[in-house]
Amino acid sequence: MTTPLNSLDIAKPPSATRVVAAMSGGVDSSVVAALLKRQGYDVVGVTLQLYDHGAAVHRAGACCAGQDIHDARRVAEAIGIPHYVLDYESRFRDAVIERFAESYLAGETPIPCVECNRTVKFRDLLGLARELGADALATGHYVASRDLGNGHRGLFRAADENRDQSYFLYATTQDQLDLLRFPLGEMEKAETRALAAEFGLAIADKPDSQDICFVPNGRYAEVIERLKPGAARPGAIVHLDGRMLGQHEGVLRYTVGQRKGLGLSAAEPLYVVALDAENARVIVGPREALSVSRVDLRDLNWIGGIALADLPAEGLEVAVRVRSTRAPREARLLADDKGVHVLLAQGEEGVSPGQACVIYDHAGAGARVLGGGVILAEKKRHLPAPPELSLAAS
């Protein structure tokens, strides 16, 4: 007789199914743990200590720090599950914070949440879950995971499009995805809050955590300069036409698409169109110079149904997001011996190197995540030559 699948698509009764619940101390992950416990699963709560900012741990919106660990512990005690705190500070520093700083100094705008999910959370924590004999690792992310009917699971946009976190989870591998579960993927945020109140959780009204947890005041440059003293080089702010318009204190203070805070006086609105970290230059120009129709990718993670090698010569019709705040837009995916490329149906502004380009099977609600990669600097843009090269050519 075949054992029916439980609510996690596992052929075991809930009582015989061990689930490790990643508990950050926030509302979402706390509700996941409580919901699974109520459904009869063998739930083990795990919280990762990722950093310690002293006073910052009391800041509304901080996560994975002192107060949040205390909140997770209280929730675990209230719902009656074992709870463990793991010190992952050194792993987080090496895999996330150091890479974040290096990427900014290279003229990129990185997304540390993607790296954190890919490494510390879904690689290291998932390894621990397997050591504990868990059948699944559950998190409070707003993204859907569904059985594809071929022994594997697919990743889909959340039902609540305003909360959808698929952009930050594109780097999840197929092996990780098969063990991961996202119980909130089909829920609205309001339902989650209501469940927290129903369970009587003290954190029911707790504010949501911020994207970058280790930057206590939102000032990225200060964090990077503390990590890499003296690494920021001052340089010139240069117009696309070659005019030097001013000076800056380091490219890490700028991002492609930025308009405010340039400290320039000009007749037309100017935007950062490129960052030349090698020559310590910030390149600015008019808004129309921001439009990009082709995006080249590195470090591609592919979880689509078709192998990249089997893509048709004319490419695959897809939809992509080049910013977490933008809806998927129609595009064409190409792969050749020079790499992976995305041709946008309509030009996008503010496409920044270091950000993610996430690929979906279509642009509508509930789209499946096919993968994604890190955006490379645009190679074809004709930037003004550095001064020494201009002199040599004259």
Side-chain angles (χ1 to χ4, degrees):
M1 184 175 179
T2 304
T3 303
L5 298 178
N6 58 35
S7 64
L8 298 179
D9 292 334
I10 298 171
K12 288 183 178 183
S15 60
T17 305
R18 171 164 288 184
V19 184
V20 167
M23 301 178 68
S24 68
V27 176
D28 299 327
S29 60
S30 296
V31 167
V32 164
L35 191 62
L36 293 172
K37 174 64 176 178
R38 185 172 73 177
Q39 292 172 350
Y41 290 97
D42 174 17
V43 183
V44 178
V46 175
T47 300
L48 305 181
Q49 179 169 325
L50 300 181
Y51 68 96
D52 182 6
H53 272 309
V57 301
H58 302 295
R59 177 179 62 90
C63 75
C64 310
Q67 183 60 47
D68 301 286
I69 292 171
H70 175 68
D71 289 343
R73 184 179 290 118
R74 285 200 303 164
V75 168
E77 182 178 350
I79 64 178
I81 64 170
H83 177 254
Y84 303 94
V85 178
L86 304 180
D87 183 354
Y88 274 21
E89 283 194 44
S90 61
R91 302 185 192 202
F92 184 72
R93 183 177 59 251
D94 294 342
V96 180
I97 298 180
E98 289 290 336
R99 293 190 65 171
F100 171 81
E102 291 167 2
S103 183
Y104 252 110
L105 290 171
E108 297 181 335
T109 306
I111 311 174
C113 300
V114 169
E115 200 63 30
C116 181
N117 289 330
R118 186 182 70 84
T119 57
V120 177
K121 290 181 179 176
F122 290 171
R123 182 191 66 199
D124 299 343
L125 181 54
L126 194 141
L128 173 70
R130 288 195 170 104
E131 291 177 12
L132 293 174
D135 299 286
L137 169 63
T139 81
H141 290 100
Y142 284 86
V143 67
S145 164
R146 298 174 196 147
D147 188 350
L148 297 175
N150 60 359
H152 294 294
R153 301 185 69 79
L155 193 65
F156 298 81
R157 294 189 69 195
D160 188 341
E161 293 189 30
N162 292 324
R163 303 294 303 181
D164 174 49
Q165 293 175 294
S166 61
Y167 182 85
F168 301 101
L169 299 178
Y170 81 86
T172 307
T173 67
Q174 187 64 65
D175 182 57
Q176 293 169 344
L177 189 55
D178 290 342
L179 197 69
L180 284 163
R181 298 294 187 274
F182 308 102
L184 304 185
E186 308 295 346
M187 290 188 190
E188 300 284 330
K189 178 69 178 189
E191 295 178 68
T192 305
R193 290 276 185 193
L195 280 171
E198 180 184 324
F199 289 129
L201 303 181
I203 46 77
D205 296 321
K206 186 175 181 178
D208 291 332
S209 62
Q210 302 298 317
D211 284 344
I212 300 183
C213 58
F214 58 88
V215 183
N217 54 14
R219 298 171 184 167
Y220 311 140
E222 292 182 5
V223 172
I224 297 167
E225 288 170 341
R226 188 167 64 249
L227 290 168
K228 308 285 186 181
R233 289 191 295 152
I237 301 178
V238 182
H239 195 281
L240 275 172
D241 62 16
R243 288 177 292 146
M244 191 177 82
L245 302 180
Q247 297 289 325
H248 67 80
E249 296 301 317
V251 296
L252 59 88
R253 298 176 182 274
Y254 301 85
T255 185
V256 172
Q258 179 179 336
R259 177 184 175 186
K260 296 181 179 180
L262 301 183
L264 300 176
S265 178
E268 61 175 348
L270 294 175
Y271 299 78
V272 176
V273 297
L275 296 172
D276 180 6
E278 182 180 355
N279 296 294
R281 298 188 307 159
V282 174
I283 313 298
V284 299
R287 181 169 181 171
E288 55 266 27
L290 289 171
S291 185
V292 170
S293 59
R294 170 180 167 137
V295 178
D296 296 327
L297 304 180
R298 63 172 170 84
D299 300 335
L300 187 81
N301 181 59
W302 184 252
I303 49 176
I306 181 176
L308 283 175
D310 296 331
L311 290 183
E314 68 276 14
L316 180 69
E317 295 292 337
V318 296
V320 301
R321 291 167 79 180
V322 295
R323 290 272 187 177
S324 63
T325 54
R326 297 181 186 175
R329 306 279 181 86
E330 292 182 355
R332 184 180 298 272
L333 178 68
L334 299 166
D336 55 35
D337 56 358
K338 296 182 180 179
V340 178
H341 326 282
V342 170
L343 302 182
L344 302 167
Q346 294 182 327
E348 286 269 16
E349 294 182 355
V351 178
S352 182
Q355 291 279 294
C357 176
V358 181
I359 306 164
Y360 301 86
D361 63 346
H362 62 84
R368 180 182 172 186
V369 179
L370 302 180
V374 179
I375 297 171
L376 285 166
E378 189 182 0
K379 296 178 181 178
K380 294 185 178 181
R381 186 184 296 278
H382 298 291
L383 301 181
E388 61 272 18
L389 296 182
S390 297
L391 289 173
S394 61

